[in-house]
Amino acid sequence: MKKNMLSVLTLALLGGLIPAQAKGLEIYQAHNIDIIQAQDIEIVQAEEVKPVTPQKNKPSTVPSKSNSVDYAFRTFILWVPGTSYSFDNYAAGTRTLYTSTGTLPKSALTVNKDGTYVWNSAWDGKIIKGKWKNNNNGTISLLKGQEGKTWTLSKGGGKYEDIFLMDGSIWYSGKTVTLKKGKVPKK
């Protein structure tokens, strides 16, 4: 093959097929080409994926062990806790961190044993009177609550909140309002 290729080039040079400017060029031949043999690829075993324990101040979708909803029959102050999350844009190679400071306690919720509730909503400034139903898993649903949505009330898990009130993606934390005997709450 080398001889044939060399002969073709020589004929091309002599025969005038190559432009005059290229006729003075030397023909180079490659030397010492190393052939590299593929090596075995090391297979790495993935580590076991372990579940992450949710933070104590974040609502859990796991119902309490008890089906009792007695914890809910009182008045609570409500607030939106602060949170942060990040968004990765792989196309741009960026990560954006979003942070929310939450809200101060502004709303109040009273849940009555008779199947009713009163929600003084800071969201839209309305006083919502509605009914609740027992979900038989330690939670209750506030029917036609704030924004006309059904909200799930569950027992809180930490020292900072007594309840969580969720509509799926938004939640409130709630703390029991305690009044000393003979004291009237300030307006």
Side-chain angles (χ1 to χ4, degrees):
M1 171 111 178
K2 285 184 192 176
K3 272 188 174 181
N4 290 342
M5 183 62 103
L6 209 50
S7 300
V8 170
L9 288 173
T10 306
L11 284 174
L13 283 171
L14 295 174
L17 296 175
I18 296 179
Q21 302 91 327
K23 285 186 181 180
L25 296 177
E26 276 186 60
I27 298 174
Y28 287 96
Q29 193 170 4
H31 297 283
N32 300 330
I33 299 173
D34 291 333
I35 298 174
I36 299 175
Q37 187 70 26
Q39 298 176 356
D40 289 336
I41 298 172
E42 182 183 343
I43 298 173
V44 178
Q45 185 70 25
E47 293 181 25
E48 179 184 353
V49 177
K50 297 178 182 175
V52 176
T53 306
Q55 298 172 359
K56 290 199 176 208
N57 63 345
K58 186 175 180 184
S60 170
T61 56
V62 179
S64 66
K65 293 178 184 175
S66 168
N67 285 343
S68 173
V69 292
D70 289 342
Y71 66 89
F73 305 137
R74 50 188 52 99
T75 298
F76 303 95
I77 54 170
L78 302 175
W79 69 92
V80 177
T83 188
S84 63
Y85 65 94
S86 63
F87 174 76
D88 294 332
N89 183 337
Y90 296 109
T94 61
R95 173 176 285 166
T96 305
L97 178 66
Y98 295 93
T99 303
S100 167
T101 57
T103 65
L104 295 173
K106 294 181 179 180
S107 296
L109 172 68
T110 300
V111 180
N112 302 308
K113 287 184 180 184
D114 66 359
T116 64
Y117 70 89
V118 178
W119 188 346
N120 185 349
S121 170
W123 175 262
D124 53 14
K126 296 180 181 176
I127 295 178
I128 304 160
K129 295 181 180 182
K131 296 184 183 233
W132 61 265
K133 73 172 188 156
N134 190 336
N135 296 325
N136 296 317
N137 64 358
T139 68
I140 64 172
S141 291
L142 304 180
L143 307 173
K144 296 181 183 175
Q146 183 173 275
E147 299 180 86
K149 298 177 182 178
T150 297
W151 292 75
T152 302
L153 187 140
S154 62
K155 190 171 187 172
K159 65 180 181 178
Y160 301 109
E161 64 281 316
D162 295 325
I163 62 160
F164 292 115
L165 189 58
M166 298 170 275
D167 81 335
S169 60
I170 297 174
W171 80 86
Y172 287 91
S173 292
K175 193 75 175 159
T176 304
V177 175
T178 54
L179 300 174
K180 295 184 180 176
K181 199 170 187 175
K183 296 284 184 174
V184 176
K186 296 180 181 179
K187 292 184 180 181

